[in-house]
Amino acid sequence: MKHDILITDFNKTAKQTVNHPSFKNHLDIHLNLSVSTLVDEAIENGEGILTDTGAFMCDTGKFTGRSPKDKFIVYDDKTADTVAWGEINQAFDGNNFDKLYQKMLDFTTDKKLYARYSYACASEKHRTNILVINTLAWHNLFCHHLFLRPTEKEIENFEPEWTILNIPEFQAGPTIDNTRESNFTIIDFTKKIILIGGTGYAGEMKKGIFSVLNYILPEEKKVLSMHCSANIGKDGDTALFFGLSGTGKTTLSADPYRQLIGDDEHGWDENEVFNFEGGCYAKVVNLSQEQEPEIFGAIRYGTILENTRFTNGSNAVDYGNQSVTENTRTAYPINYIPNIANPSIGTSPKNIFFLSADSFGVLPPISKLNVEQAMYYFLSGYTAKLAGTEMGVKEPQATFSACFGAAFLPLAPKKYAELLGKKIETGDVNVWLVNTGWSGGGFGVGSRMKIAYTRAMIRAALNGDFENISFNKHEIFGLEMPQTCPNVPEE
């Protein structure tokens, strides 16, 4: 079944009853408002302003990135022996969750709320229905863009499975509510509720659902969930791009010669790759039309810009301005990109790329991995956290994030690695390690890899241009490195 990727515009102003017991009788709740209405509401509420392209520009407040230390999972009979508990997956008491949930509901009693029916997973057999409740209009617009959009007919009998309640202005009391700070994200897998408070960073919502899918798909359906982008060529060959935020997943998968399946989150079942989302959430620091034309062209009416600033005396965005954060971002529906797969589904991949922003300038620009090496690099997930993607990160920091997404993995990393290993072996998949970081020396000495060179190397791999080229074996890592590549200087 083809899902609807068009911007919904069938509900402009009406207050409606929401199919959820906690919000059924709320007096001021607005369901599935159109893009234009949400933009108008956000401007009227003082949440942001329009740029010269018509995009809606806003600030996320104190938090300009995720806060992983303030993310929790409710510990109960369902999660006790399945979640990999530790620093990443912190346990939260179920009774404390119930009390906090009630406090948040009480807080919303006299508030205007924005509700949205949406879903995750483009594959119909894995579809997960979601109800989002927001106090900010632009947050609801964000969810319109990033989650998949049901049709008007589907909404008539919509049954939410998961609920997100997001109230940025609600501050928890750590000593009373047993949170670490006043901000929090808490997932209850039994009640199927995500609570978010104290932070205006919209990415917490999409990553909350990503964490949910990273639990239910491998654990309950034996489907590999992946922190990767994906695209597909004219001959039906799918490619996956794994990497942490800032390593190039969104940029490199937006290729004018290939159809975009999705830019961040995917599942891989027996014979297909499918997008979890309905939009893109891309970094825009130093964005230019020349280097990233697809993303640049997507910034128009309806698009959201976070934490950017204007050029003096105008309402034109200065993408080089990092005065708020380096983690400036844009959110837009996937159909704002001109060349997309519809539906957002592809075949099992022929090529997989591990993107590592190596801040030491050690890794070669591109190298081919055997199965053993692929499993090693997938489990280690070496890259650098780039400035702004998490609170407190001011310059690149070397990190090892299992499966290139440890922050979002409720299960033990080996669970995902075992699924991937079997698929690589049985599917005869080419795996490549690509350094999107520094060359000629580390951060502060060398220079960041040019996007044009990285694109050329990836296209060479996809087109089979390395098949008749000699490879050198790295004396330390054992990596197979091509000696030459079309359109890339040999040095």
Side-chain angles (χ1 to χ4, degrees):
M1 174 184 172
K2 289 191 175 184
H3 58 270
D4 178 23
I5 61 167
L6 299 177
I7 291 182
T8 52
D9 201 39
F10 45 81
N11 183 9
K12 298 184 180 299
T13 58
K15 298 178 186 178
Q16 292 190 5
T17 300
V18 172
N19 188 9
H20 192 283
S22 297
F23 302 98
K24 210 163 192 177
N25 298 318
H26 195 284
L27 298 177
D28 196 10
I29 191 164
H30 299 255
L31 179 63
N32 294 325
L33 294 183
S34 68
V35 167
S36 57
T37 302
L38 284 171
V39 170
D40 291 344
E41 290 266 330
I43 293 173
E44 185 178 335
N45 296 342
E47 299 172 16
I49 53 179
L50 295 183
T51 72
D52 62 340
T53 66
F56 178 78
M57 191 170 83
C58 59
D59 283 357
T60 62
K62 175 183 176 181
F63 293 92
T64 57
R66 292 180 296 102
S67 185
K69 293 182 179 180
D70 298 296
K71 176 187 169 187
F72 304 90
I73 295 174
V74 171
Y75 184 96
D76 58 18
D77 291 342
K78 183 180 181 69
T79 59
D81 298 323
T82 52
V83 169
W85 301 106
E87 289 185 9
I88 292 173
N89 298 311
Q90 303 176 89
F92 199 81
D93 180 75
N95 290 328
N96 289 330
F97 178 90
D98 293 342
K99 293 175 184 177
L100 188 59
Y101 183 36
Q102 188 58 54
K103 288 174 71 172
M104 294 179 74
L105 292 177
D106 294 342
F107 186 86
T108 65
T109 299
D110 58 352
K111 297 269 188 309
K112 184 174 186 177
L113 299 180
Y114 301 93
R116 179 157 300 280
Y117 291 154
S118 54
Y119 66 97
C121 298
S123 172
E124 187 66 25
K125 59 185 173 181
H126 303 303
R127 174 172 172 162
T128 302
N129 285 351
I130 304 164
L131 167 65
V132 187
I133 304 290
N134 304 110
T135 53
L136 295 180
W138 83 264
H139 271 189
N140 204 250
L141 180 65
F142 178 92
C143 292
H144 170 278
H145 294 350
L146 267 297
F147 297 135
L148 286 157
R149 297 164 283 279
T151 63
E152 186 172 5
K153 184 175 181 181
E154 289 172 330
I155 281 176
E156 291 175 2
N157 299 300
F158 193 87
E159 295 286 342
E161 182 179 359
W162 277 84
T163 301
I164 301 173
L165 176 58
N166 185 4
I167 312 176
E169 59 270 40
F170 178 89
Q171 304 286 317
T175 57
I176 300 173
D177 299 313
N178 291 283
T179 55
R180 190 184 74 94
E181 297 288 348
S182 59
N183 63 295
F184 56 89
T185 297
I186 311 173
I187 303 173
D188 189 322
F189 281 100
T190 299
K191 294 184 175 67
K192 298 185 177 181
I193 296 173
I194 302 174
L195 301 181
I196 302 173
T199 173
Y201 185 66
E204 296 284 9
M205 291 183 285
K206 86 180 218 82
K207 290 306 184 186
I209 290 296
F210 185 43
S211 298
V212 166
L213 295 172
N214 279 329
Y215 180 91
I216 63 177
L217 289 179
E219 180 69 15
E220 300 174 9
K221 300 185 178 183
K222 310 307 177 189
V223 172
L224 177 60
S225 55
M226 305 175 292
H227 188 212
C228 70
S229 59
N231 62 27
I232 187 167
K234 64 180 185 303
D235 296 325
D237 60 303
T238 298
L240 304 181
F241 302 80
F242 284 88
L244 294 180
S245 178
T247 55
K249 292 193 314 301
T250 299
T251 298
L252 295 171
S253 57
D255 186 328
Y257 301 103
R258 299 172 64 83
Q259 291 185 326
L260 179 68
I261 299 173
D263 81 324
D264 196 39
E265 304 169 5
H266 292 82
W268 183 359
D269 64 12
E270 296 87 356
N271 51 28
E272 66 181 19
V273 169
F274 57 93
N275 193 356
F276 289 168
E277 302 183 295
C280 302
Y281 192 38
K283 292 191 71 166
V284 294
V285 60
N286 296 320
L287 180 71
S288 70
Q289 187 171 15
E290 178 184 5
Q291 294 290 336
E292 300 174 84
E294 290 81 16
I295 297 174
F296 190 90
I299 300 176
R300 48 195 169 95
Y301 182 79
T303 295
I304 297 168
L305 284 167
E306 294 178 356
N307 301 310
T308 52
R309 289 295 180 264
F310 290 139
T311 301
N312 288 340
S314 76
N315 63 340
V317 178
D318 177 5
Y319 292 108
N321 189 320
Q322 302 172 33
S323 60
V324 179
T325 177
E326 188 175 319
N327 192 35
T328 52
R329 286 187 176 267
T330 181
Y332 49 84
I334 195 170
N335 59 295
Y336 275 27
I337 294 289
N339 195 25
I340 60 171
N342 182 25
S344 299
I345 296 173
T347 57
S348 293
K350 290 187 177 181
N351 289 278
I352 294 176
F353 298 92
F354 294 158
L355 307 177
S356 179
D358 176 29
S359 59
F360 294 102
V362 173
L363 289 181
I366 187 169
S367 47
K368 191 172 184 180
L369 309 181
N370 59 33
V371 175
E372 183 181 12
Q373 291 169 334
M375 297 313 300
Y376 173 81
Y377 279 98
F378 184 68
L379 276 171
S380 61
Y382 167 65
T383 189
K385 290 180 182 177
L386 300 186
T389 54
E390 290 184 9
M391 296 304 297
V393 179
K394 302 297 183 183
E395 62 181 45
Q397 298 176 3
T399 187
F400 294 87
S401 183
C403 311
F404 295 97
F408 321 116
L409 305 182
L411 306 176
K414 68 177 182 179
K415 184 89 174 182
Y416 309 92
E418 288 170 355
L419 286 170
L420 179 66
K422 290 177 183 177
K423 290 179 178 294
I424 290 175
E425 287 184 307
T426 59
D428 191 25
V429 183
N430 297 315
V431 184
W432 308 85
L433 179 64
V434 178
N435 180 11
T436 63
W438 280 258
S439 179
F443 176 74
V445 177
S447 57
R448 188 84 189 262
M449 291 282 183
K450 290 184 178 180
I451 294 174
Y453 295 160
T454 303
R455 284 194 187 279
M457 289 183 284
I458 287 173
R459 283 174 184 161
L462 292 171
N463 295 336
D465 293 341
F466 291 139
E467 292 178 3
N468 299 314
I469 289 178
S470 298
F471 284 70
N472 289 331
K473 181 173 283 190
H474 196 286
E475 60 183 7
I476 296 174
F477 298 108
L479 302 173
E480 295 288 341
M481 305 174 294
Q483 289 185 291
T484 61
C485 177
N487 301 312
V488 180
E490 290 191 12
E491 66 270 17

